[in-house]
Amino acid sequence: QVQLVESGGGLVQAGDSLRLSCAVSGRTFSSYAMGWFRQAPGKEREFVARISWSGSYTYYADSVKGRFTISRDNAKNTMYLQMNSLKPEDTAVYYCAADKGHSRTLLTAPGRYDYWGQGTQVTVSS
């Protein structure tokens, strides 16, 4: 059983930074590509960023490119999302997700991912 636990969310002001963490149980973390998604009230869950199993390849939504950085430490079974220059429109529940690589769906689609965390709230005030 793979479990994902997010942490690091909170209430910040516009322009501030936050770093989210996603701790993953199990010995197969290094074999998964990983992603971050977010969901604001009344909106669909949307893709934020993705990182390959090795960390060599990353991909970002246009809305966060240049402000957010995804990374991972396979020795610690942990993935991170460094969020800088936060904006009120970044307010959402942020979820981490693991991709076993068995799906042919788009890399940015929630259905691509096999395991999900419970989410952490990020609120950015103006």
Side-chain angles (χ1 to χ4, degrees), residues 47-102:
F47 170 80
V48 174
R50 175 183 169 94
I51 189 166
S52 62
W53 65 271
S54 67
S56 299
Y57 299 99
T58 58
Y59 182 68
Y60 298 92
D62 288 343
S63 58
V64 307
K65 201 173 295 182
R67 299 188 298 122
F68 290 10
T69 303
I70 189 172
S71 62
R72 66 190 296 163
D73 184 338
N74 286 345
K76 295 183 178 179
N77 277 21
T78 303
M79 176 180 66
Y80 305 98
L81 185 68
Q82 178 66 43
M83 305 186 295
N84 298 330
S85 303
L86 282 161
K87 304 175 181 180
E89 51 263 44
D90 294 319
T91 295
V93 177
Y94 283 70
Y95 299 89
C96 64
D99 173 13
K100 294 195 297 185
H102 298 166

Side-chain angles (χ1 to χ4, degrees), residues 26-44:
R27 293 179 291 179
T28 52
F29 172 73
S30 60
S31 66
Y32 300 147
M34 299 290 296
W36 286 100
F37 287 76
R38 66 187 182 186
Q39 188 166 17
K43 295 188 177 181
E44 293 186 351

Side-chain angles (χ1 to χ4, degrees), residues 8-18 20 39 41 83 86-94 120-126:
L11 171 63
V12 297
Q13 293 187 332
D16 284 351
S17 297
L18 274 178
L20 305 183
Q39 188 166 17
M83 305 186 295
L86 282 161
K87 304 175 181 180
E89 51 263 44
D90 294 319
T91 295
V93 177
Y94 283 70
T120 185
Q121 176 71 46
V122 172
T123 303
V124 184
S125 64
S126 57

